[in-house]
Amino acid sequence: MVHSRILYNRLRPYLNKHKILVHNQDTSNIINGLLQFHKNYESEYDKIASAFAGRTPRETGKKIWNFLKTNTRYVVEPDSKQTLRSPSAILYTGKTLGIDCKNLSLFTGGVLDALNRKGNKINWCYRFASYRYNDKLPHHVFVVINPNTSNEIWVDAVLDAYNDKKQYFYKTDKTPNMALISMAGIGRKTKAERKENRKAKVQKVKQAIKKAGKVVLKINPASVTARNSFLGLVKLNVFSLASKLNEAMNKSNELFDLWKNIGGDVTALKKSIEVGRGKKSIGAIGVAPAGLVTPALPILAKIKALLEKLGIKTSDIKNAVTKTAKKVAQKQLQKLNAGTTPTASDSATEQASETADKIVNATQETAQAQMKTSATKEAEDKETSTDTEAKEVEKIMPSNTNWLLIGGVVAGALILPKILKRK
């Protein structure tokens, strides 16, 4: 690994001068500033980029990540003092003062872009992410190589491992070539703009309902709730999912690539397929499957597209997705007409609650607490167990014995009054 002092000596010296770009910065100011800083110091990164060139983009990203982990110290900057630093300032103050995610990303992006100017072809972007399900505004940034593919490489020197993927709820990808004016909508809109935005959403949902509920649901398919609900459907072999996924698994590795790309564990998926493929196929009937379909919709849509690509029949999945999406769209429209704009968190919370009410040991309060804990854990911590999803499904899915007990209670509640009335 090249020594930081050697790189520093190639750059214009750090003069410890500070310039306030914008007072009381909001998110759009910071993102604009980051992209502008990237452009301003291109010539400086050209002087040091060759030290990080690898044989592959993955190797190049690893070299940059290792250098930053060794030569900088991560700190969180207060909202009142958000800094953007030149490459020489990053090298000079990285260990002493410490740097935050913006400057770690600036260094990474600056080097990758400089290598591209030297003839490399590394596809990359800045990814601004929010880990709060009730807040779309990004509060973290890192660099992604091969963005929006099944082979994404995350270069985030804030985390303890290279290519670690801490899942977010919302993201915005930006490259230095994008016009800065396009960032204006990231901050808070005016009252008139918000009103127009709400009207547009109402119209959009109305049109979606007319088209048989073909809406794009704003639920993160990488959430624990969505994945666990989907695994529950697979274990039950709803829509012959386990049988179809077993066929897809034998035809191509694309299923596993898709699953990993949304943060899933392949071992948990394989176990669920193994459990479900021997069972008789059922439709979305009964309490449990119906409760699992809604939160699993984003993944079902992705799986449907993959199965069609592999020549596997998907008409039953398509019908279920369309029917359930229509119901969700109608609920959204009711909220919008009542003057409340539904958010992604509204939908996710509502669907998680519906699922919990119906399928967890008939205890609403306990079920909702489990769902909320699961969603919060996804936003704050990466999953550390390779079998987490399989275990979570076991928590959510009652055993056959429990289903018999629940059925007995329901039957008793219906029949007992009639017996007493006869007496």
Side-chain angles (χ1 to χ4, degrees):
M1 181 189 302
V2 65
H3 196 283
S4 62
R5 177 58 60 181
I6 295 174
L7 297 182
Y8 179 80
N9 288 336
R10 298 177 187 175
L11 303 171
R12 294 200 302 264
Y14 170 59
L15 301 177
N16 197 23
K17 290 183 179 181
H18 302 274
K19 179 181 178 181
I20 298 176
L21 298 177
V22 182
H23 288 278
N24 301 318
Q25 310 103 317
D26 62 15
T27 304
S28 60
N29 296 143
I30 293 171
I31 295 177
N32 273 315
L34 186 146
L35 296 178
Q36 188 61 63
F37 247 64
H38 178 104
K39 300 297 272 185
N40 290 348
Y41 289 95
E42 284 182 345
S43 61
E44 290 293 277
Y45 282 108
D46 286 340
K47 300 174 183 178
I48 62 174
S50 58
F52 300 96
R55 290 169 295 180
T56 64
R58 180 180 292 272
E59 185 178 305
T60 298
K62 183 69 178 291
K63 283 188 174 184
I64 300 171
W65 186 88
N66 283 336
F67 177 84
L68 290 172
K69 294 298 286 186
T70 303
N71 294 283
T72 65
R73 177 174 58 88
Y74 172 65
V75 297
V76 178
E77 292 185 335
D79 292 340
S80 58
K81 188 181 180 182
Q82 292 286 311
T83 67
L84 293 169
R85 307 183 197 180
S86 67
S88 60
I90 290 172
L91 294 176
Y92 195 89
T93 65
K95 272 286 192 184
T96 54
L97 299 180
I99 58 176
D100 74 339
C101 62
K102 298 189 307 299
N103 292 295
L104 289 169
S105 298
L106 265 176
F107 191 91
T108 304
V111 169
L112 291 177
D113 210 22
L115 287 173
N116 281 345
R117 288 192 292 274
K118 294 178 182 295
N120 287 267
K121 294 181 180 179
I122 303 173
N123 181 24
W124 69 277
C125 73
Y126 289 114
R127 178 160 293 174
F128 298 87
S130 168
Y131 298 86
R132 301 167 187 161
Y133 63 84
N134 61 346
D135 185 4
K136 290 185 178 181
L137 292 179
H139 44 272
H140 181 57
V141 59
F142 57 97
V143 167
V144 177
I145 298 173
N146 303 325
N148 302 308
T149 69
S150 61
N151 188 35
E152 285 193 344
I153 302 167
W154 293 14
V155 188
D156 189 350
V158 170
L159 302 180
D160 293 331
Y162 177 59
N163 197 27
D164 197 0
K165 292 181 170 68
K166 181 178 179 181
Q167 291 299 327
Y168 43 75
F169 284 95
Y170 309 101
K171 59 103 170 170
T172 300
D173 289 349
K174 296 293 174 184
T175 63
N177 296 325
M178 289 183 172
L180 296 183
I181 194 171
S182 67
M183 305 302 298
I186 288 187
R188 182 168 174 80
K189 294 179 173 63
T190 65
K191 186 176 180 179
E193 287 174 331
R194 292 197 300 274
K195 185 177 180 181
E196 281 300 313
N197 190 43
R198 190 169 70 83
K199 286 182 179 179
K201 284 186 177 181
V202 170
Q203 189 60 34
K204 185 176 180 180
V205 174
K206 284 181 177 178
Q207 291 173 352
I209 292 175
K210 289 179 181 179
K211 294 179 180 179
K214 294 178 181 178
V215 295
V216 179
L217 297 175
K218 294 183 178 179
I219 310 167
N220 185 359
S223 70
V224 168
T225 302
R227 291 199 305 269
N228 287 346
S229 297
F230 178 78
L231 291 177
L233 293 172
V234 174
K235 280 194 168 186
L236 292 170
N237 204 20
V238 177
F239 315 130
S240 299
L241 266 174
S243 307
K244 291 173 181 176
L245 293 181
N246 186 60
E247 184 180 348
M249 181 173 65
N250 294 327
K251 283 188 174 184
S252 168
N253 287 327
E254 291 182 74
L255 172 62
F256 298 142
D257 291 338
L258 185 157
W259 190 249
K260 286 188 287 187
N261 200 37
I262 61 173
D265 174 56
V266 171
T267 302
L269 178 61
K270 287 181 177 179
K271 285 184 178 180
S272 297
I273 294 173
E274 186 64 28
V275 169
R277 69 188 181 95
K279 294 181 180 179
K280 184 178 179 181
S281 174
I282 59 174
I285 57 175
V287 175
L292 292 171
V293 170
T294 301
L297 272 178
I299 299 179
L300 283 170
K302 288 177 175 287
I303 292 294
K304 182 183 79 69
L306 175 60
L307 293 177
E308 288 175 347
K309 178 181 175 183
L310 296 176
I312 301 172
K313 183 181 176 183
T314 62
S315 56
D316 44 357
I317 300 175
K318 180 180 179 181
N319 292 338
V321 170
T322 300
K323 184 177 179 181
T324 311
K326 185 173 181 178
K327 285 184 179 180
V328 175
Q330 288 171 333
K331 287 183 180 180
Q332 289 180 332
L333 183 58
Q334 289 170 0
K335 279 191 173 187
L336 288 165
N337 286 333
T340 304
T341 302
T343 63
S345 58
D346 289 335
S347 300
T349 303
E350 177 182 315
Q351 292 154 7
S353 297
E354 283 183 9
T355 305
D357 290 343
K358 294 177 179 177
I359 67 177
V360 185
N361 296 332
T363 307
Q364 181 176 4
E365 292 81 5
T366 303
Q368 289 175 338
Q370 287 178 346
M371 286 296 199
K372 288 178 181 177
T373 300
S374 180
T376 302
K377 184 178 177 67
E378 176 71 4
E380 295 177 347
D381 302 303
K382 66 185 180 68
E383 297 162 310
T384 56
S385 170
T386 58
D387 202 24
T388 296
E389 289 161 312
K391 291 177 182 176
E392 289 296 325
V393 173
E394 294 297 338
K395 290 180 184 177
I396 293 175
M397 295 295 298
S399 65
N400 291 334
T401 304
N402 286 341
W403 277 119
L404 290 173
L405 289 173
I406 293 170
V409 172
V410 173
L414 293 172
I415 297 171
L416 188 59
K418 293 183 180 179
I419 295 174
L420 292 175
K421 189 175 181 180
R422 289 176 185 173
K423 290 182 178 182

